[in-house]
Amino acid sequence: QVQLQESGPGLVKPSETLSLNCTVSGDSINSYYWSWIRQPPGKGLEWIGYIYYSGSTNYNPSLKSRVTISADTSKNQFSLKLSSVTAADTAVYYCARVSSGIDYWGQGTLVTVSS
Amino acid sequence: QSVLTQPPSVSGAPGQRITISCTGSSSNIGAAYDVHWYQQLPGAAPKLLIYGNINRPSGVPDRFSGSKSGTSASLAISGLQAEDEADYYCQSYDSSLSAWVFGGGTKLTVL
């Protein structure tokens, strides 16, 4: 059974960089697409970006200038960095596997941007 | 404003059939990109409900079905049950944005 677990600070100050890790078990990240998706409180889902097993990445154009997604195959983890955060970046952040559709999701982690 | 348009809410009585629409354009659904549907129960992560327009993952009841025509897709739920009360999202790819896109979500209320 594939499982994903997000980890990282739950509170980030404005203008700083949000950093999250996603640890994958039950599958190798050396296949499929691996993605980050977020959901502001009470709002809908927003795709942030993905990393392909080959190492290629693609980001939401609205976030592209601030986002970096990377992978550490030795730890079977992939990571998200979002720079220059503001209150508008407060959201539940999900990591996920993409096969035909987004078929496995982490439980999500709430990141609040506040001083 | 989402690229894929869904009704904000739908409702139905137990046992009834409801549909949720997802309207796109020629750069996403109309360009033959697959549509996927997700169910999000309160306080939980989304769950894949329909993939590739019409396919159900293992374990999803056949009460749930998907369809696609032109620039729109639909999710149908028959034999509505109280446990179906949730938010539902469609998702596809948009070639003009070069991005995966979600609908704004539809809240299903079981009366």
Side-chain angles (χ1 to χ4, degrees), chain B residues 29-52:
Chain B
I29 298 175
Y33 292 109
D34 282 343
V35 177
H36 315 294
W37 290 91
Y38 305 89
Q39 176 193 60
Q40 187 175 33
L41 296 171
K47 168 192 166 184
L48 182 63
L49 205 59
I50 298 288
Y51 68 93

Side-chain angles (χ1 to χ4, degrees), chain A residues 2 4 10 12 18 22 33 35 37 52 58 67 75 89 91 94 98 107-108 110 114:
Chain A
V2 180
L4 298 94
V12 180
L18 178 160
C22 180
Y33 293 88
S35 186
I37 297 133
Y52 194 38
N58 191 22
V67 173
K75 295 181 180 179
D89 296 309
Y94 295 101
V98 184
Q107 65 183 24
L110 174 63
S114 175

Side-chain angles (χ1 to χ4, degrees), chain A residues 7-9 12 17-21 79-82 111:
Chain A
S7 60
V12 180
T17 296
L18 178 160
S19 295
L20 294 173
N21 291 320
S79 302
L80 169 69
K81 290 189 186 301
L82 181 66
V111 178

